[in-house]
Amino acid sequence: MSEPASISLGIASRYASALFDLAKDDKALKALETDTAALSETLAASAELRDVIASPVISREDQGRAIAAIGAKLGLNPLTANTLALMADKRRLFVLPQFLTALGDLIATEKGEVTAEVTAARALSAAQSKQLAETLKARVGKTVKLKTTVDESLIGGLVVKLGSTMIDTSVKAKLAALQNAMKEVG
C-alpha cells in the first residue's frame, strides 16, 4: 500500500471508529448503518459529489455546505451529520469512501457478519444467493452478506472472495489451468 493511501486509511479509520463508538454509546447503530448505506449509494451515484470531496480547489465552507445539504436531504442522524461537518471543517472529506468502508466493517463486525464478494457468470437467483450465503455461513460460522457482481467472461461458475480466501470455480479458471497443464506436457 502506498504511503498516501495508508495515511488516508488511517484518517478514515480514526473518524469511523470515533463515530461508531459515539453511535454505540447512544444506541444509534441502526441509524448509523442506514446512514452509511445511504451515503455509500449517494457517493457511488454522484460524480459531482466525488468531485466536491476530492477537490482541493473547493473551499472548506463550500464543502461543508454541500455535505450539510446532502445530510439534510438524506435525513442523516445528527451524529453522522456532525461528523461529516467536522470532516469538512478539517478538510478531510477526501477520505469519505474509506470512511464509509471502515464504518461498514465496524458495523458488520458488531453484528457478527462478514461480506463475501461474489462474481458470477450470470446473475444469481434469490434461491441461489440464499443457498450460497447459507453454505458460506456454515463454513465461517458467521452471517454472510453477499456483494454480487456479474462478469460474463467467466463463462460459468463463481469466484468467491471471503476475507483472505478466494474460491474460484469458474470455467475460465479451469480452462486456464488446463491450458497451463497442456503447455507443461509438450
Side-chain angles (χ1 to χ4, degrees), residues 1 3 14 17 19 22 27 31 41 52 56 63 71 85 90 97 104 123 129 140 146 149-150 158-159 171-172 177 184:
M1 187 181 299
E3 188 175 331
R14 286 191 297 277
S17 179
L19 177 56
L22 288 170
K27 299 185 183 356
E41 289 173 15
V52 166
Q63 282 185 336
K90 300 293 184 185
S129 294
V140 297
L146 300 180
T149 56
V150 175
L158 299 170
V159 177
V171 173
K172 180 179 178 180
E184 290 174 6

Side-chain angles (χ1 to χ4, degrees), residues 55-116:
S55 176
V57 176
I58 298 174
S59 71
R60 57 180 88 208
E61 292 80 17
D62 289 342
Q63 282 185 336
R65 281 193 291 275
I67 205 72
I70 290 168
K73 178 134 176 92
L74 295 176
L76 297 180
N77 178 318
L79 284 173
T80 307
N82 290 342
T83 301
L84 293 175
L86 176 65
M87 290 172 72
D89 187 53
K90 300 293 184 185
R91 305 246 345 137
R92 298 290 190 244
L93 283 179
F94 67 93
V95 300
L96 190 58
Q98 297 96 326
F99 169 75
L100 294 172
T101 300
L103 265 179
D105 292 346
L106 289 168
I107 292 166
T109 300
E110 180 71 18
K111 292 171 65 178
E113 293 178 345
V114 292
T115 300

Side-chain angles (χ1 to χ4, degrees), residues 12-175:
S13 296
R14 286 191 297 277
Y15 277 101
S17 179
L19 177 56
F20 178 80
D21 290 342
L22 288 170
K24 191 173 178 181
D25 291 345
D26 280 1
K27 299 185 183 356
L29 285 179
K30 188 66 179 161
L32 182 61
E33 184 177 11
T34 303
D35 291 351
T36 303
L39 281 167
S40 295
E41 289 173 15
T42 303
L43 192 61
S46 174
E48 294 85 12
L49 177 59
R50 291 190 301 272
D51 291 344
V52 166
I53 66 170
S55 176
V57 176
I58 298 174
S59 71
R60 57 180 88 208
E61 292 80 17
D62 289 342
Q63 282 185 336
R65 281 193 291 275
I67 205 72
I70 290 168
K73 178 134 176 92
L74 295 176
L76 297 180
N77 178 318
L79 284 173
T80 307
N82 290 342
T83 301
L84 293 175
L86 176 65
M87 290 172 72
D89 187 53
K90 300 293 184 185
R91 305 246 345 137
R92 298 290 190 244
L93 283 179
F94 67 93
V95 300
L96 190 58
Q98 297 96 326
F99 169 75
L100 294 172
T101 300
L103 265 179
D105 292 346
L106 289 168
I107 292 166
T109 300
E110 180 71 18
K111 292 171 65 178
E113 293 178 345
V114 292
T115 300
E117 294 180 24
V118 179
T119 306
R122 288 173 194 73
L124 298 177
S125 70
Q128 290 171 326
S129 294
K130 183 179 178 185
Q131 184 178 6
L132 179 59
E134 288 173 2
T135 303
L136 292 172
K137 180 180 180 177
R139 181 173 176 158
V140 297
K142 295 182 177 182
T143 303
V144 178
K145 290 174 77 173
L146 300 180
K147 182 178 176 185
T148 309
T149 56
V150 175
D151 180 2
E152 293 178 358
S153 73
L154 295 179
I155 304 169
L158 299 170
V159 177
V160 179
K161 294 178 188 171
L162 185 62
S164 61
T165 304
M166 184 169 109
I167 304 163
D168 191 345
T169 63
S170 67
V171 173
K172 180 179 178 180
K174 289 178 182 179
L175 288 173

